Amino acid sequence: MGTDIHGSIECRWDRWPDEDDRCWQKAIDLAHLYNGRSYTAFGSLFGVRDTTSFRPLADRRGLPPDVSRDASAAIEPWNPGAFGASWITWAELLAADWDEPANEVDECVHEYRRSPDGVWEIYGRNSNLNRFAQLSGLTDPHALYRAGNAHPEGTEWPDGDRLFRIGRLRRSHSVPDSDWGAVWSIMRTLSNLHGAEGVRLVVWFEG
């Protein structure tokens, strides 16, 4: 059984000093922006599933005491199966070191492709495995999917305009814009009105 993430983006209006106006309110459900199962991302952000690759940015903090009423009500149907609740502000995400390398070599082989300015940029993990099998000579599916355990860090297989390499992920690779870009875009936009500390992502997990 896999693990799914649930949650919402919340914002707090601090324009007026009245306490009622400063309460947190749900802006959008996370399911509208992200519905994947990237355990590397879950671990890098919240310390769920993959707990070894990166130090979590917001390790199982629980629901914030001032969580919005909508988010509080949304988690009720998942109890008692919900776990790993946490939250993180846009300010914390901005302050994170997204170039931080992983603690260990990735099991998956990384495919790189050249950017328009000629720099190798990561394209995927365990992508184009048929071609990688031809280059590496790996035939056992288990070894192929975990080539990082079979070859030293830094091993490369050039292939024309692309390159396969064994190495470590950067934190930005664990939470790629291709998956999480919509989440970051909404939080960034809301921060223009509410400030970076006034926008947060509240999550919990199931499964």
Side-chain angles (χ1 to χ4, degrees), residues 8-33:
S8 60
I9 294 174
E10 299 183 339
C11 56
R12 182 184 61 199
W13 185 260
D14 279 340
R15 184 175 179 181
W16 309 110
D18 185 273
E19 192 67 27
D20 290 338
D21 291 332
R22 295 174 58 205
C23 67
W24 288 88
Q25 298 181 12
K26 177 180 175 180
I28 188 171
D29 194 286
L30 180 61
H32 295 305
L33 307 171

PDB file of all heavy atoms in Angstrom, residues 8-33:
ATOM      1  N   SER A   8      -3.493  21.511   2.409  1.00  0.00           N
ATOM      2  CA  SER A   8      -3.965  22.741   1.791  1.00  0.00           C
ATOM      3  C   SER A   8      -2.960  23.854   2.012  1.00  0.00           C
ATOM      4  O   SER A   8      -2.126  23.804   2.924  1.00  0.00           O
ATOM      5  CB  SER A   8      -5.326  23.147   2.361  1.00  0.00           C
ATOM      6  OG  SER A   8      -5.240  23.365   3.763  1.00  0.00           O
ATOM      7  N   ILE A   9      -3.051  24.855   1.158  1.00  0.00           N
ATOM      8  CA  ILE A   9      -2.303  26.089   1.354  1.00  0.00           C
ATOM      9  C   ILE A   9      -3.196  27.043   2.143  1.00  0.00           C
ATOM     10  O   ILE A   9      -4.370  27.228   1.802  1.00  0.00           O
ATOM     11  CB  ILE A   9      -1.907  26.718   0.008  1.00  0.00           C
ATOM     12  CG1 ILE A   9      -0.922  25.803  -0.724  1.00  0.00           C
ATOM     13  CG2 ILE A   9      -1.287  28.093   0.213  1.00  0.00           C
ATOM     14  CD1 ILE A   9      -0.586  26.274  -2.130  1.00  0.00           C
ATOM     15  N   GLU A  10      -2.635  27.624   3.188  1.00  0.00           N
ATOM     16  CA  GLU A  10      -3.365  28.569   4.020  1.00  0.00           C
ATOM     17  C   GLU A  10      -2.693  29.937   3.974  1.00  0.00           C
ATOM     18  O   GLU A  10      -1.482  30.031   3.743  1.00  0.00           O
ATOM     19  CB  GLU A  10      -3.399  28.090   5.477  1.00  0.00           C
ATOM     20  CG  GLU A  10      -4.089  26.765   5.689  1.00  0.00           C
ATOM     21  CD  GLU A  10      -4.147  26.384   7.157  1.00  0.00           C
ATOM     22  OE1 GLU A  10      -3.338  26.918   7.960  1.00  0.00           O
ATOM     23  OE2 GLU A  10      -4.996  25.563   7.500  1.00  0.00           O
ATOM     24  N   CYS A  11      -3.468  30.965   4.207  1.00  0.00           N
ATOM     25  CA  CYS A  11      -2.906  32.312   4.293  1.00  0.00           C
ATOM     26  C   CYS A  11      -3.530  33.061   5.465  1.00  0.00           C
ATOM     27  O   CYS A  11      -4.632  32.753   5.908  1.00  0.00           O
ATOM     28  CB  CYS A  11      -3.099  33.077   2.989  1.00  0.00           C
ATOM     29  SG  CYS A  11      -4.811  33.197   2.433  1.00  0.00           S
ATOM     30  N   ARG A  12      -2.788  34.038   5.943  1.00  0.00           N
ATOM     31  CA  ARG A  12      -3.225  34.834   7.095  1.00  0.00           C
ATOM     32  C   ARG A  12      -3.217  36.301   6.700  1.00  0.00           C
ATOM     33  O   ARG A  12      -2.216  36.809   6.199  1.00  0.00           O
ATOM     34  CB  ARG A  12      -2.286  34.612   8.283  1.00  0.00           C
ATOM     35  CG  ARG A  12      -2.687  35.354   9.556  1.00  0.00           C
ATOM     36  CD  ARG A  12      -1.644  35.143  10.634  1.00  0.00           C
ATOM     37  NE  ARG A  12      -0.342  35.652  10.211  1.00  0.00           N
ATOM     38  CZ  ARG A  12       0.808  35.292  10.775  1.00  0.00           C
ATOM     39  NH1 ARG A  12       0.831  34.409  11.738  1.00  0.00           N
ATOM     40  NH2 ARG A  12       1.956  35.820  10.335  1.00  0.00           N
ATOM     41  N   TRP A  13      -4.319  36.967   6.933  1.00  0.00           N
ATOM     42  CA  TRP A  13      -4.444  38.381   6.579  1.00  0.00           C
ATOM     43  C   TRP A  13      -4.028  39.230   7.766  1.00  0.00           C
ATOM     44  O   TRP A  13      -4.677  39.235   8.804  1.00  0.00           O
ATOM     45  CB  TRP A  13      -5.882  38.681   6.178  1.00  0.00           C
ATOM     46  CG  TRP A  13      -6.074  40.074   5.678  1.00  0.00           C
ATOM     47  CD1 TRP A  13      -6.571  41.135   6.368  1.00  0.00           C
ATOM     48  CD2 TRP A  13      -5.774  40.560   4.375  1.00  0.00           C
ATOM     49  NE1 TRP A  13      -6.603  42.252   5.573  1.00  0.00           N
ATOM     50  CE2 TRP A  13      -6.121  41.934   4.339  1.00  0.00           C
ATOM     51  CE3 TRP A  13      -5.245  39.971   3.219  1.00  0.00           C
ATOM     52  CZ2 TRP A  13      -5.947  42.717   3.206  1.00  0.00           C
ATOM     53  CZ3 TRP A  13      -5.084  40.757   2.095  1.00  0.00           C
ATOM     54  CH2 TRP A  13      -5.430  42.114   2.097  1.00  0.00           C
ATOM     55  N   ASP A  14      -2.916  39.943   7.631  1.00  0.00           N
ATOM     56  CA  ASP A  14      -2.383  40.739   8.737  1.00  0.00           C
ATOM     57  C   ASP A  14      -2.564  42.238   8.543  1.00  0.00           C
ATOM     58  O   ASP A  14      -1.942  43.040   9.218  1.00  0.00           O
ATOM     59  CB  ASP A  14      -0.878  40.463   8.911  1.00  0.00           C
ATOM     60  CG  ASP A  14      -0.635  39.186   9.687  1.00  0.00           C
ATOM     61  OD1 ASP A  14      -1.556  38.742  10.379  1.00  0.00           O
ATOM     62  OD2 ASP A  14       0.467  38.630   9.582  1.00  0.00           O
ATOM     63  N   ARG A  15      -3.431  42.587   7.628  1.00  0.00           N
ATOM     64  CA  ARG A  15      -3.576  44.014   7.334  1.00  0.00           C
ATOM     65  C   ARG A  15      -4.184  44.782   8.498  1.00  0.00           C
ATOM     66  O   ARG A  15      -3.839  45.925   8.762  1.00  0.00           O
ATOM     67  CB  ARG A  15      -4.446  44.183   6.086  1.00  0.00           C
ATOM     68  CG  ARG A  15      -4.581  45.618   5.620  1.00  0.00           C
ATOM     69  CD  ARG A  15      -5.346  45.686   4.305  1.00  0.00           C
ATOM     70  NE  ARG A  15      -5.517  47.050   3.851  1.00  0.00           N
ATOM     71  CZ  ARG A  15      -6.164  47.383   2.728  1.00  0.00           C
ATOM     72  NH1 ARG A  15      -6.681  46.427   1.972  1.00  0.00           N
ATOM     73  NH2 ARG A  15      -6.291  48.644   2.379  1.00  0.00           N
ATOM     74  N   TRP A  16      -5.131  44.135   9.191  1.00  0.00           N
ATOM     75  CA  TRP A  16      -5.795  44.793  10.307  1.00  0.00           C
ATOM     76  C   TRP A  16      -5.392  44.124  11.617  1.00  0.00           C
ATOM     77  O   TRP A  16      -5.138  42.926  11.660  1.00  0.00           O
ATOM     78  CB  TRP A  16      -7.315  44.733  10.149  1.00  0.00           C
ATOM     79  CG  TRP A  16      -7.786  45.200   8.796  1.00  0.00           C
ATOM     80  CD1 TRP A  16      -8.321  44.446   7.812  1.00  0.00           C
ATOM     81  CD2 TRP A  16      -7.726  46.528   8.279  1.00  0.00           C
ATOM     82  NE1 TRP A  16      -8.618  45.196   6.709  1.00  0.00           N
ATOM     83  CE2 TRP A  16      -8.264  46.494   6.972  1.00  0.00           C
ATOM     84  CE3 TRP A  16      -7.280  47.758   8.796  1.00  0.00           C
ATOM     85  CZ2 TRP A  16      -8.353  47.622   6.172  1.00  0.00           C
ATOM     86  CZ3 TRP A  16      -7.379  48.883   8.002  1.00  0.00           C
ATOM     87  CH2 TRP A  16      -7.905  48.817   6.707  1.00  0.00           C
ATOM     88  N   PRO A  17      -5.340  44.879  12.732  1.00  0.00           N
ATOM     89  CA  PRO A  17      -4.910  44.313  14.014  1.00  0.00           C
ATOM     90  C   PRO A  17      -5.952  43.427  14.679  1.00  0.00           C
ATOM     91  O   PRO A  17      -5.637  42.695  15.614  1.00  0.00           O
ATOM     92  CB  PRO A  17      -4.620  45.552  14.873  1.00  0.00           C
ATOM     93  CG  PRO A  17      -5.509  46.626  14.299  1.00  0.00           C
ATOM     94  CD  PRO A  17      -5.555  46.343  12.821  1.00  0.00           C
ATOM     95  N   ASP A  18      -7.202  43.479  14.210  1.00  0.00           N
ATOM     96  CA  ASP A  18      -8.249  42.679  14.834  1.00  0.00           C
ATOM     97  C   ASP A  18      -7.898  41.192  14.734  1.00  0.00           C
ATOM     98  O   ASP A  18      -7.550  40.684  13.673  1.00  0.00           O
ATOM     99  CB  ASP A  18      -9.589  42.950  14.142  1.00  0.00           C
ATOM    100  CG  ASP A  18     -10.724  42.218  14.841  1.00  0.00           C
ATOM    101  OD1 ASP A  18     -10.962  41.056  14.492  1.00  0.00           O
ATOM    102  OD2 ASP A  18     -11.345  42.821  15.731  1.00  0.00           O
ATOM    103  N   GLU A  19      -8.007  40.483  15.845  1.00  0.00           N
ATOM    104  CA  GLU A  19      -7.588  39.074  15.897  1.00  0.00           C
ATOM    105  C   GLU A  19      -8.368  38.209  14.931  1.00  0.00           C
ATOM    106  O   GLU A  19      -7.821  37.300  14.319  1.00  0.00           O
ATOM    107  CB  GLU A  19      -7.763  38.541  17.327  1.00  0.00           C
ATOM    108  CG  GLU A  19      -7.084  37.187  17.556  1.00  0.00           C
ATOM    109  CD  GLU A  19      -5.584  37.285  17.490  1.00  0.00           C
ATOM    110  OE1 GLU A  19      -5.024  38.369  17.784  1.00  0.00           O
ATOM    111  OE2 GLU A  19      -4.952  36.277  17.127  1.00  0.00           O
ATOM    112  N   ASP A  20      -9.670  38.463  14.745  1.00  0.00           N
ATOM    113  CA  ASP A  20     -10.475  37.657  13.830  1.00  0.00           C
ATOM    114  C   ASP A  20      -9.978  37.790  12.395  1.00  0.00           C
ATOM    115  O   ASP A  20     -10.048  36.853  11.618  1.00  0.00           O
ATOM    116  CB  ASP A  20     -11.948  38.071  13.906  1.00  0.00           C
ATOM    117  CG  ASP A  20     -12.586  37.678  15.229  1.00  0.00           C
ATOM    118  OD1 ASP A  20     -12.034  36.756  15.870  1.00  0.00           O
ATOM    119  OD2 ASP A  20     -13.593  38.289  15.611  1.00  0.00           O
ATOM    120  N   ASP A  21      -9.495  38.970  12.041  1.00  0.00           N
ATOM    121  CA  ASP A  21      -9.007  39.193  10.684  1.00  0.00           C
ATOM    122  C   ASP A  21      -7.649  38.529  10.450  1.00  0.00           C
ATOM    123  O   ASP A  21      -7.217  38.402   9.312  1.00  0.00           O
ATOM    124  CB  ASP A  21      -8.886  40.690  10.388  1.00  0.00           C
ATOM    125  CG  ASP A  21     -10.246  41.364  10.291  1.00  0.00           C
ATOM    126  OD1 ASP A  21     -11.214  40.672   9.917  1.00  0.00           O
ATOM    127  OD2 ASP A  21     -10.320  42.553  10.602  1.00  0.00           O
ATOM    128  N   ARG A  22      -6.991  38.146  11.526  1.00  0.00           N
ATOM    129  CA  ARG A  22      -5.649  37.582  11.395  1.00  0.00           C
ATOM    130  C   ARG A  22      -5.648  36.062  11.459  1.00  0.00           C
ATOM    131  O   ARG A  22      -4.585  35.455  11.478  1.00  0.00           O
ATOM    132  CB  ARG A  22      -4.758  38.151  12.504  1.00  0.00           C
ATOM    133  CG  ARG A  22      -4.524  39.659  12.398  1.00  0.00           C
ATOM    134  CD  ARG A  22      -3.765  40.179  13.597  1.00  0.00           C
ATOM    135  NE  ARG A  22      -2.493  39.513  13.748  1.00  0.00           N
ATOM    136  CZ  ARG A  22      -1.846  39.393  14.901  1.00  0.00           C
ATOM    137  NH1 ARG A  22      -2.386  39.859  16.010  1.00  0.00           N
ATOM    138  NH2 ARG A  22      -0.685  38.792  14.953  1.00  0.00           N
ATOM    139  N   CYS A  23      -6.783  35.441  11.504  1.00  0.00           N
ATOM    140  CA  CYS A  23      -6.817  33.984  11.571  1.00  0.00           C
ATOM    141  C   CYS A  23      -6.418  33.393  10.221  1.00  0.00           C
ATOM    142  O   CYS A  23      -6.537  34.017   9.173  1.00  0.00           O
ATOM    143  CB  CYS A  23      -8.204  33.495  11.988  1.00  0.00           C
ATOM    144  SG  CYS A  23      -9.497  33.816  10.788  1.00  0.00           S
ATOM    145  N   TRP A  24      -5.935  32.155  10.256  1.00  0.00           N
ATOM    146  CA  TRP A  24      -5.526  31.467   9.046  1.00  0.00           C
ATOM    147  C   TRP A  24      -6.751  30.941   8.314  1.00  0.00           C
ATOM    148  O   TRP A  24      -7.684  30.442   8.924  1.00  0.00           O
ATOM    149  CB  TRP A  24      -4.594  30.312   9.389  1.00  0.00           C
ATOM    150  CG  TRP A  24      -3.235  30.763   9.824  1.00  0.00           C
ATOM    151  CD1 TRP A  24      -2.849  31.077  11.086  1.00  0.00           C
ATOM    152  CD2 TRP A  24      -2.099  30.972   8.990  1.00  0.00           C
ATOM    153  NE1 TRP A  24      -1.536  31.454  11.114  1.00  0.00           N
ATOM    154  CE2 TRP A  24      -1.043  31.393   9.834  1.00  0.00           C
ATOM    155  CE3 TRP A  24      -1.858  30.833   7.622  1.00  0.00           C
ATOM    156  CZ2 TRP A  24       0.228  31.685   9.343  1.00  0.00           C
ATOM    157  CZ3 TRP A  24      -0.591  31.106   7.127  1.00  0.00           C
ATOM    158  CH2 TRP A  24       0.431  31.534   7.980  1.00  0.00           C
ATOM    159  N   GLN A  25      -6.710  31.063   6.996  1.00  0.00           N
ATOM    160  CA  GLN A  25      -7.811  30.595   6.168  1.00  0.00           C
ATOM    161  C   GLN A  25      -7.277  29.740   5.025  1.00  0.00           C
ATOM    162  O   GLN A  25      -6.196  30.007   4.492  1.00  0.00           O
ATOM    163  CB  GLN A  25      -8.602  31.775   5.603  1.00  0.00           C
ATOM    164  CG  GLN A  25      -9.238  32.642   6.670  1.00  0.00           C
ATOM    165  CD  GLN A  25     -10.041  33.787   6.075  1.00  0.00           C
ATOM    166  OE1 GLN A  25     -10.308  33.820   4.881  1.00  0.00           O
ATOM    167  NE2 GLN A  25     -10.435  34.727   6.919  1.00  0.00           N
ATOM    168  N   LYS A  26      -8.039  28.730   4.667  1.00  0.00           N
ATOM    169  CA  LYS A  26      -7.651  27.869   3.551  1.00  0.00           C
ATOM    170  C   LYS A  26      -7.771  28.630   2.239  1.00  0.00           C
ATOM    171  O   LYS A  26      -8.777  29.279   1.971  1.00  0.00           O
ATOM    172  CB  LYS A  26      -8.554  26.634   3.520  1.00  0.00           C
ATOM    173  CG  LYS A  26      -8.296  25.694   2.351  1.00  0.00           C
ATOM    174  CD  LYS A  26      -9.241  24.514   2.402  1.00  0.00           C
ATOM    175  CE  LYS A  26      -9.110  23.613   1.192  1.00  0.00           C
ATOM    176  NZ  LYS A  26     -10.042  22.464   1.254  1.00  0.00           N
ATOM    177  N   ALA A  27      -6.714  28.534   1.416  1.00  0.00           N
ATOM    178  CA  ALA A  27      -6.735  29.177   0.112  1.00  0.00           C
ATOM    179  C   ALA A  27      -7.075  28.181  -0.996  1.00  0.00           C
ATOM    180  O   ALA A  27      -7.887  28.472  -1.873  1.00  0.00           O
ATOM    181  CB  ALA A  27      -5.389  29.834  -0.170  1.00  0.00           C
ATOM    182  N   ILE A  28      -6.461  26.987  -0.950  1.00  0.00           N
ATOM    183  CA  ILE A  28      -6.695  25.984  -1.988  1.00  0.00           C
ATOM    184  C   ILE A  28      -6.259  24.618  -1.484  1.00  0.00           C
ATOM    185  O   ILE A  28      -5.305  24.500  -0.718  1.00  0.00           O
ATOM    186  CB  ILE A  28      -5.946  26.343  -3.295  1.00  0.00           C
ATOM    187  CG1 ILE A  28      -6.351  25.398  -4.430  1.00  0.00           C
ATOM    188  CG2 ILE A  28      -4.450  26.361  -3.077  1.00  0.00           C
ATOM    189  CD1 ILE A  28      -5.824  25.826  -5.786  1.00  0.00           C
ATOM    190  N   ASP A  29      -6.986  23.602  -1.900  1.00  0.00           N
ATOM    191  CA  ASP A  29      -6.656  22.232  -1.519  1.00  0.00           C
ATOM    192  C   ASP A  29      -5.431  21.763  -2.307  1.00  0.00           C
ATOM    193  O   ASP A  29      -5.311  22.019  -3.507  1.00  0.00           O
ATOM    194  CB  ASP A  29      -7.846  21.313  -1.799  1.00  0.00           C
ATOM    195  CG  ASP A  29      -7.701  19.968  -1.124  1.00  0.00           C
ATOM    196  OD1 ASP A  29      -6.887  19.159  -1.597  1.00  0.00           O
ATOM    197  OD2 ASP A  29      -8.392  19.727  -0.130  1.00  0.00           O
ATOM    198  N   LEU A  30      -4.522  21.079  -1.631  1.00  0.00           N
ATOM    199  CA  LEU A  30      -3.300  20.590  -2.273  1.00  0.00           C
ATOM    200  C   LEU A  30      -3.595  19.658  -3.441  1.00  0.00           C
ATOM    201  O   LEU A  30      -2.844  19.624  -4.423  1.00  0.00           O
ATOM    202  CB  LEU A  30      -2.427  19.874  -1.237  1.00  0.00           C
ATOM    203  CG  LEU A  30      -1.100  19.297  -1.730  1.00  0.00           C
ATOM    204  CD1 LEU A  30      -0.192  20.406  -2.273  1.00  0.00           C
ATOM    205  CD2 LEU A  30      -0.402  18.538  -0.609  1.00  0.00           C
ATOM    206  N   ALA A  31      -4.695  18.920  -3.377  1.00  0.00           N
ATOM    207  CA  ALA A  31      -5.026  17.959  -4.426  1.00  0.00           C
ATOM    208  C   ALA A  31      -5.221  18.621  -5.784  1.00  0.00           C
ATOM    209  O   ALA A  31      -5.069  17.971  -6.817  1.00  0.00           O
ATOM    210  CB  ALA A  31      -6.282  17.182  -4.038  1.00  0.00           C
ATOM    211  N   HIS A  32      -5.534  19.912  -5.809  1.00  0.00           N
ATOM    212  CA  HIS A  32      -5.701  20.624  -7.072  1.00  0.00           C
ATOM    213  C   HIS A  32      -4.360  20.955  -7.714  1.00  0.00           C
ATOM    214  O   HIS A  32      -4.306  21.316  -8.900  1.00  0.00           O
ATOM    215  CB  HIS A  32      -6.477  21.917  -6.859  1.00  0.00           C
ATOM    216  CG  HIS A  32      -7.894  21.711  -6.410  1.00  0.00           C
ATOM    217  ND1 HIS A  32      -8.796  20.936  -7.112  1.00  0.00           N
ATOM    218  CD2 HIS A  32      -8.556  22.185  -5.327  1.00  0.00           C
ATOM    219  CE1 HIS A  32      -9.962  20.942  -6.481  1.00  0.00           C
ATOM    220  NE2 HIS A  32      -9.841  21.688  -5.389  1.00  0.00           N
ATOM    221  N   LEU A  33      -3.281  20.848  -6.927  1.00  0.00           N
ATOM    222  CA  LEU A  33      -1.967  21.283  -7.396  1.00  0.00           C
ATOM    223  C   LEU A  33      -0.951  20.152  -7.467  1.00  0.00           C
ATOM    224  O   LEU A  33      -0.037  20.188  -8.304  1.00  0.00           O
ATOM    225  CB  LEU A  33      -1.423  22.366  -6.463  1.00  0.00           C
ATOM    226  CG  LEU A  33      -2.349  23.560  -6.208  1.00  0.00           C
ATOM    227  CD1 LEU A  33      -1.780  24.433  -5.107  1.00  0.00           C
ATOM    228  CD2 LEU A  33      -2.543  24.349  -7.488  1.00  0.00           C
TER     229      LEU A  33
END
